[in-house]
Amino acid sequence: MGQRPDRHQHAAGRRRNEKGLPALSQQQLDEKKVPLAGYEDEYEITRSGRVYSLKTHSFQTNAYPASRFVRITTKGAVVSLDKEQAVSRSFRAAGLSSASGEPAAEG
C-alpha cells in the first residue's frame, strides 16, 4: 500500500478535477432569490428551484437535478418539498409572480 497524498498533492489533484466542471453562468449567479415559504429564516429559493442556504451561504447540491422535489434539512429532519409548489408559494409570499419576478397582479 502506498502513502496517502500530502495536502499539496491533494490540492493539485482537486484543481485538475475541477477544470472539467462547468462554471456557474452569470445568469445563474444573478438569479433572483426569495425566502423559502415556511423556512424563511433558513433557506431561499430561485425561480428555477435552486435552494440557497442562509446558514452555509451556498446553493444546495441536488443529486437529482431533474427531480421535481427539493430536499432541505431543518432541525435534524430531512424535508422533501415539491419544487413547483415551493417556488410558486415562495414568490407569491414575497409579492412577486414566479414567472416574471415582477410584482404579482392584484386580483
Side-chain angles (χ1 to χ4, degrees), residues 55-104:
K55 181 179 178 183
T56 62
H57 301 287
S58 63
F59 282 99
Q60 301 288 353
T61 56
N62 190 357
Y64 305 104
S67 174
R68 54 176 272 223
F69 296 98
V70 291
R71 293 174 61 128
I72 60 171
T73 304
T74 181
K75 298 179 184 168
V78 176
V79 179
S80 293
L81 304 169
D82 184 272
K83 191 184 292 186
E84 289 181 24
Q85 287 181 359
V87 169
S88 65
R89 287 179 183 161
S90 298
F91 275 83
R92 195 175 321 125
L96 304 172
S97 68
S98 62
S100 65
E102 296 176 7

Side-chain angles (χ1 to χ4, degrees), residues 10 16 20 25-26 37 39 41 46 62 65 75 77-79 89 93-94 96 104:
H10 179 74
R16 278 194 304 272
S25 68
Q26 191 63 36
Y39 305 94
D41 297 336
T46 65
N62 190 357
K75 298 179 184 168
V78 176
V79 179
R89 287 179 183 161
L96 304 172

Side-chain angles (χ1 to χ4, degrees), residues 18-35:
E18 288 175 351
K19 286 182 182 176
L21 297 176
L24 291 177
S25 68
Q26 191 63 36
Q27 179 183 5
Q28 288 173 320
L29 293 174
D30 292 340
E31 206 169 8
K32 174 103 176 119
K33 297 181 295 226
V34 296

